[in-house]
């Protein structure tokens, strides 16, 4: 009797565990475009189009390789609208009782599969350097789960950037060399852009019909949708951008939306690129003398360190993680996170590029939109739903620990040892946003003062009991305490005025 082999939209690689366990001669692969996955958050339309196109290209490869595949299109009249519904439909058709699946990257879907009236065998996703057991073994008995130590273990395990048992260049981490402000000129012209082929055009038409009210701009659509395209993009990025990646990793420019960033998260997560191959290609550039160590180490740390660590946290913390709210923040997410209607130039730039490209780089996510949400006390659940929706690389396993943990400190300090908050001066140092802003970053009080300046002190003041004894925040509290009482009162009053305008839905 045949078994079904489930392949989800972000599992489009022949290396995926369920496929490795399956028998081409007797088993039936199931892939399905379903309304439930496409609408459980308000996904960016480019993200949905990307995944559907990747799926449709992958199914061609599977059939060419001899697999029997049942593929459901979104507008198939028999589409039940959910992954479990489609599995049940095909189980009846093929008389199958067993499903081979690879663990999804979200507890919601894991629970749905586990609750099915079929025998679902969930195989661990092997596309990661660290298995669940590896992360648990590393985390066991540690008081704090800091990424840096986990990363070193991954370096030793993979041998990446190692000279014997020592780190290449004598240091594990070159982050201190990687904080240059925005450059005057950028020599890289951004990610490789691919004209949609007939398959992608058909998907784009479908998305235009079915998601007319969806978030974001669908066209121009330029993402890679096959492994060969993603590889071509990576190869060009390594040659043209990697050498400067480290230096300008934290910089932000209004007209340079990608700077020297790789823009590969969506490709790795969906299965178009293999993370080990990506790291090896970067390491090769260093060994061949084509890229400096600070750039290559910085890049490999993102994939080997952060990506793996973040996933470890998601699965270790469990399904309740996304509901955490350690700081008790309850404000609604402002409308400008969706429509960019704000006079704050930094948020406008970050949201506009998010709307256009389904992309923003890490510092824009952390220190512009994330920082504002944290300072203003936005409900972390709402912040989480926004980040999960708007980026092409967003899946809960990677998005939630970044948002709930790193950005919003809602997990109480599991991911971050202190909250990532800053006044406007950090944004001014690292970007060109403040030059075109209606607010004045140098003004600390009054109607024209940058809202980040006001809310920064408001945040520290209202969370004093929790943070004042954190040694990494002592300087901030000393500065606040040194201010004259009258000035502190003015700052807090002006910050309250900003929050009142926010709550009233007034333009900010
Ligand atoms: P680069 O800067 O070029 O880095 C290369 C790769 O390293 C990335 O593609 C990614 O795979 C990996 N990486 C880098 N930083 C991280 C990190 N902190 N966690 C995990 N992997 C990392 N990343 C996602 O992939 N999906 C998300 O949904 C997501 N949500 C985020 C939400 C918030 C609030 C924050 C602060 C960060 C989030 N990140 C997320 C992490 C990071 O911002 C993105 O991985 C990165 O911006 C993707 O762009 P890039 O491919 O150009 O990355
Ligand atoms: C994100 C997404 C979307 C928009 N649509 C589909 C889909 O129609 N079919 C599918 O198999 N997967 C889709 N996905 C990806 C899943 O939501 C993803 O597998 C889970 O969130 C776990 O990471």
């Amino acid at each position: 009797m045949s078994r079904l082999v489930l392949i989800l939209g972000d599992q489009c690689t022949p290396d995926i565990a369920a496929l490795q366990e399956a028998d081409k001669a007797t088993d039936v692969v199931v892939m399905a475009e379903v309304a439930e996955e496409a609408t459980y958050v308000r996904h960016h339309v480019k993200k949905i189009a990307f995944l559907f196109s990747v799926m449709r290209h992958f199914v061609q490869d599977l059939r060419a390789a001899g697999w029997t595949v049942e593929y459901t299109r979104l507008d198939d009249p028999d589409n039940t609208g959910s992954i479990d519904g489609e599995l049940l439909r095909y189980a009846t058709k093929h008389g199958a009782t067993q499903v081979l699946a690879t663990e999804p990257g979200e507890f919601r879907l894991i629970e749905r599969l586990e609750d099915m009236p079929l025998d679902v065998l969930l195989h661990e996703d092997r596309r990661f350097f660290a298995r669940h057991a590896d992360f648990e073994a590393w985390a066991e008995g540690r008081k704090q789960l800091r990424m840096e130590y986990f990363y070193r273990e991954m370096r030793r395990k993979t041998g990446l950037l190692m000279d014997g048992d020592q780190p290449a260049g004598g240091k594990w981490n070159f982050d201190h060399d990687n904080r240059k402000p925005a450059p005057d000129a950028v020599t890289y012209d951004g990610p490789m852009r691919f004209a949609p082929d007939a398959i992608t055009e058909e998907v784009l038409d479908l998305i235009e019909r079915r998601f007319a009210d969806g978030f974001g701009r669908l066209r121009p659509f330029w993402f890679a949708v096959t492994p060969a395209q993603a590889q071509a993009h990576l190869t060009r990025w390594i040659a043209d951008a990697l050498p400067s990646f480290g230096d300008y990793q934290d910089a932000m420019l209004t007209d340079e939306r990608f700077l020297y960033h790789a823009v590969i998260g969506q490709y790795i997560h969906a299965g178009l690129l293999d993370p080990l191959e990506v790291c090896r290609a970067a390491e090769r550039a260093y060994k061949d003398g084509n890229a400096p160590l600070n750039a290559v180490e910085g890049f490999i740390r993102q994939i080997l360190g952060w990506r793996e660590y973040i996933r470890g946290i998601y699965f270790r913390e469990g399904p309740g993680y996304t509901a955490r709210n350690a700081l008790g923040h309850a404000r609604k997410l402002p409308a400008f996170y969706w429509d960019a209607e704000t006079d704050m130039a930094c948020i406008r730039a970050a949201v506009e590029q998010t709307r256009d490209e389904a992309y923003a780089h890490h510092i824009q996510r952390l220190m512009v939109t994330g920082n504002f949400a944290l300072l203003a006390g936005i409900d972390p659940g709402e912040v989480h739903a926004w980040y999960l929706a708007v980026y092409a690389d967003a899946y809960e396993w990677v998005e939630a620990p970044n948002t709930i943990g790193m950005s919003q400190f809602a997990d109480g300090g599991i991911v971050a040892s202190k909250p990532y908050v800053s006044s406007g001066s950090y944004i001014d140092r690292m970007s060109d946003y403040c030059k075109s802003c209606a607010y004045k970053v140098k003004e600390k009080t009054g109607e024209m003062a940058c809202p980040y300046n006001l809310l920064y002190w408001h945040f520290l003041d209202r969370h004093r009991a929790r943070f004042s004894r954190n040694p990494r925040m002592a300087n901030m509290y000393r500065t606040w305490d040194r201010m004259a009482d009258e000035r502190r009162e003015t700052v807090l009053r002006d910050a309250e005025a900003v929050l009142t305008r926010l709550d009233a839905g007034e333009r900010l």
Side-chain angles (χ1 to χ4, degrees):
M1 184 181 287
S2 67
R3 300 172 297 180
L4 303 183
V5 184
L6 174 66
I7 305 211
L8 295 166
D10 53 348
Q11 299 178 340
C12 288
T13 164
D15 296 332
I16 202 71
L19 214 50
Q20 298 279 313
E21 300 294 324
D23 184 344
K24 202 183 275 185
T26 53
D27 295 336
V28 177
V29 174
V30 172
M31 295 179 68
E33 299 167 9
V34 291
E36 187 169 83
E37 292 311 305
T39 58
Y40 74 97
V41 286
R42 195 181 170 212
H43 294 294
H44 197 296
V45 285
K46 269 198 170 87
K47 175 181 181 184
I48 307 174
F50 165 68
L51 225 52
F52 285 7
S53 181
V54 168
M55 289 167 73
R56 290 185 185 193
H57 282 90
F58 185 56
V59 82
Q60 284 193 332
D61 295 347
L62 287 178
R63 286 186 176 133
W67 289 94
T68 305
V69 187
E70 292 281 12
Y71 189 90
T72 308
R73 288 174 174 232
L74 191 71
D75 50 6
D76 279 350
D78 294 333
N79 192 331
T80 56
S82 67
I83 295 294
D84 45 337
E86 286 307 278
L87 284 173
L88 284 174
R89 188 159 74 88
Y90 288 121
T92 307
K93 179 174 171 186
H94 293 278
T97 55
Q98 209 172 57
V99 179
L100 302 182
T102 309
E103 185 179 66
E106 190 172 336
F107 289 113
R108 171 188 60 86
L109 208 46
I110 294 176
E111 286 162 8
R112 286 291 279 278
L113 293 179
E114 284 175 347
D115 288 348
M116 286 195 69
L118 294 172
D119 181 14
V120 180
L121 302 176
L122 275 185
H123 295 278
E124 191 170 340
D125 196 334
R126 300 171 194 151
R127 292 177 291 169
F128 294 87
F129 298 100
R131 298 285 175 83
H132 294 325
D134 297 331
F135 192 82
E136 283 308 311
W138 172 77
E140 189 59 38
R142 285 175 194 262
K143 268 210 224 121
Q144 292 188 318
L145 303 181
R146 293 291 161 248
M147 191 286 295
E148 179 63 25
Y149 298 107
F150 171 76
Y151 165 58
R152 291 180 191 181
E153 195 145 312
M154 290 295 101
R155 289 269 295 275
R156 289 193 193 94
K157 179 177 173 179
T158 58
L160 283 162
L161 291 182
M162 295 297 292
D163 286 336
D165 59 357
Q166 293 301 308
K171 275 203 308 189
W172 291 103
N173 184 317
F174 289 79
D175 212 21
H176 276 289
D177 303 341
N178 289 356
R179 291 177 187 158
K180 292 201 179 133
D184 289 335
V186 175
T187 55
Y188 173 60
D189 62 358
M192 207 162 178
R193 289 164 182 265
F194 300 89
D197 63 5
I199 293 177
T200 303
E201 278 299 348
E202 211 180 337
V203 168
L204 295 179
D205 289 345
L206 169 74
I207 303 296
E208 266 163 351
R209 267 186 282 117
R210 289 290 297 268
F211 300 95
D213 296 332
F215 172 70
R217 293 223 166 114
L218 182 61
R219 296 176 193 264
F221 183 90
W222 50 266
F223 290 156
V225 291
T226 64
Q229 289 179 336
Q231 185 57 49
H233 159 67
L234 176 70
T235 304
R236 180 171 161 278
W237 178 81
I238 286 182
D240 295 353
L242 175 60
S244 299
F245 170 81
D247 286 354
Y248 300 114
Q249 212 176 329
D250 291 358
M252 299 173 277
L253 285 174
T254 315
D255 294 330
E256 294 288 349
R257 294 175 161 184
F258 307 100
L259 271 151
Y260 294 99
H261 286 273
V263 194
I264 51 165
Q266 71 269 34
Y267 302 150
I268 303 181
H269 305 337
L272 301 185
L273 290 174
D274 175 297
L276 181 58
E277 291 307 318
V278 172
C279 290
R280 282 198 180 130
E283 183 186 45
R284 225 165 16 250
Y286 164 65
K287 286 186 170 163
D288 292 348
N290 294 329
L293 186 54
N294 74 304
V296 174
E297 186 283 316
F299 177 67
I300 287 180
R301 179 167 12 100
Q302 305 310 312
I303 294 175
L304 186 62
W306 278 111
R307 185 172 183 271
E308 297 283 325
Y309 164 85
I310 283 290
R311 177 171 183 270
I313 296 287
Y314 179 74
F315 281 100
R316 181 176 165 82
E317 292 303 314
Y321 187 73
T322 53
R324 301 227 183 134
N325 189 356
L327 302 183
H329 285 169
R331 193 159 265 116
K332 286 199 79 55
L333 188 79
F336 56 69
Y337 275 77
W338 297 105
D339 60 19
E341 291 294 328
T342 170
D343 295 329
M344 291 179 281
C346 57
I347 297 198
R348 197 171 58 240
V351 175
E352 281 178 351
Q353 87 165 64
T354 299
R355 176 198 65 202
D356 294 350
E357 313 289 5
Y359 177 81
H361 74 65
H362 187 66
I363 295 301
Q364 294 171 308
R365 297 186 205 195
L366 187 64
M367 298 312 291
V368 176
T369 43
N371 187 13
F372 185 87
L374 179 56
L375 294 177
I378 311 296
D379 177 345
E382 294 211 4
V383 184
H384 155 61
W386 183 78
Y387 280 103
L388 184 57
V390 301
Y391 293 114
D393 59 21
Y395 300 93
E396 197 172 276
W397 65 267
V398 56
E399 175 277 328
N402 270 298
T403 304
I404 296 289
M406 186 189 302
S407 167
Q408 299 302 298
F409 207 83
D411 66 3
I414 295 170
V415 171
S417 55
K418 74 170 184 56
Y420 279 97
V421 285
S422 80
S423 67
S425 56
Y426 172 84
I427 295 172
D428 190 30
R429 190 165 68 251
M430 299 310 293
S431 78
D432 64 354
Y433 297 146
C434 303
K435 289 194 185 92
S436 61
C437 189
Y439 295 97
K440 304 271 174 266
V441 70
K442 302 282 185 230
E443 291 190 18
K444 311 295 181 197
T445 57
E447 275 191 6
M448 296 316 291
C450 166
Y452 285 82
N453 290 346
L454 298 166
L455 295 175
Y456 174 70
W457 295 120
H458 192 276
F459 174 90
L460 290 181
D461 188 67
R462 71 177 189 268
H463 291 301
R464 181 172 203 118
R466 178 181 281 269
F467 294 126
S468 62
R469 283 190 304 276
N470 182 327
R472 298 191 62 205
M473 298 180 76
N475 272 342
M476 303 173 185
Y477 279 100
R478 266 197 291 277
T479 308
W480 178 233
D481 291 342
R482 271 200 301 268
M483 280 185 211
D485 288 352
E486 200 182 320
R487 186 169 173 79
R488 277 205 303 266
E489 278 162 27
T490 307
V491 169
L492 293 180
R493 189 198 59 214
D494 290 352
E496 284 292 341
V498 168
L499 294 174
T500 304
R501 284 169 59 197
L502 204 60
D503 292 341
E506 287 175 28
R507 188 179 174 94
L508 204 63

